[in-house]
Amino acid sequence: SDRPEWSDVIPIAQDDGPNPVVPIAYSAEFSNTMDYFRAILQSDERSERALQLTEDVIALNSGNYTAWHFRRLCLFVLGSDLRKELQFVKGMAEESPKNYQLWYHRRVIVDTIGD
């Protein structure tokens, strides 16, 4: 793996079963990132590196609801700066303005801040 910071984590490959009807040709980067994401979801690791991994997942697929949800869990557990998170969301919204998951995430963050 090209993720030395994850050397203590065993990635979990996607299981499409023995005979997938239409296998998807994911990029190596996408597969690698998602394999580690599945591993942290399974272990429920809420850490700075898990938060960074959610950013990587969202960069690859900004419509991934699970990544946004887990990102919120990490942000809240870590006591992260939610105003900084709004800047992250703003940048993502410029790239994907019709992304429901992004706008829901923003709403939760704004409600939490109280703005």
Side-chain angles (χ1 to χ4, degrees), residues 25-42:
Y26 295 112
S27 71
E29 178 186 17
F30 184 88
S31 294
N32 181 271
T33 302
M34 291 305 299
D35 291 353
Y36 281 96
F37 185 59
R38 279 187 285 279
I40 65 159
L41 283 175
Q42 185 176 48

Side-chain angles (χ1 to χ4, degrees), residues 65-83:
Y65 175 82
T66 303
W68 286 106
H69 174 74
F70 196 73
R71 183 172 182 82
R72 279 191 299 282
L73 296 177
C74 289
L75 288 165
F76 297 151
V77 164
L78 296 169
S80 299
D81 180 350
L82 298 182
R83 294 193 185 281

Side-chain angles (χ1 to χ4, degrees), residues 5-112:
E5 70 276 20
W6 292 98
S7 63
D8 61 315
V9 175
I10 298 170
I12 299 173
Q14 181 168 315
D15 182 1
D16 291 330
N19 300 305
V21 176
V22 182
I24 299 172
Y26 295 112
S27 71
E29 178 186 17
F30 184 88
S31 294
N32 181 271
T33 302
M34 291 305 299
D35 291 353
Y36 281 96
F37 185 59
R38 279 187 285 279
I40 65 159
L41 283 175
Q42 185 176 48
S43 68
D44 198 27
E45 177 183 328
R46 299 179 192 182
S47 64
E48 287 292 338
R49 72 178 184 172
L51 181 62
Q52 178 58 52
L53 187 61
T54 65
E55 188 171 330
D56 297 345
V57 171
I58 290 166
L60 292 167
N61 176 9
S62 64
N64 186 323
Y65 175 82
T66 303
W68 286 106
H69 174 74
F70 196 73
R71 183 172 182 82
R72 279 191 299 282
L73 296 177
C74 289
L75 288 165
F76 297 151
V77 164
L78 296 169
S80 299
D81 180 350
L82 298 182
R83 294 193 185 281
K84 184 177 174 186
E85 181 66 7
L86 288 178
Q87 291 303 309
F88 169 73
V89 171
K90 181 180 178 186
M92 293 301 299
E94 290 170 358
E95 295 176 25
S96 184
K98 295 182 179 182
N99 182 323
Y100 173 81
Q101 292 79 3
L102 178 149
W103 291 108
Y104 179 80
H105 178 76
R106 183 185 184 284
R107 189 186 90 194
V108 172
I109 298 302
V110 168
D111 286 349
T112 302

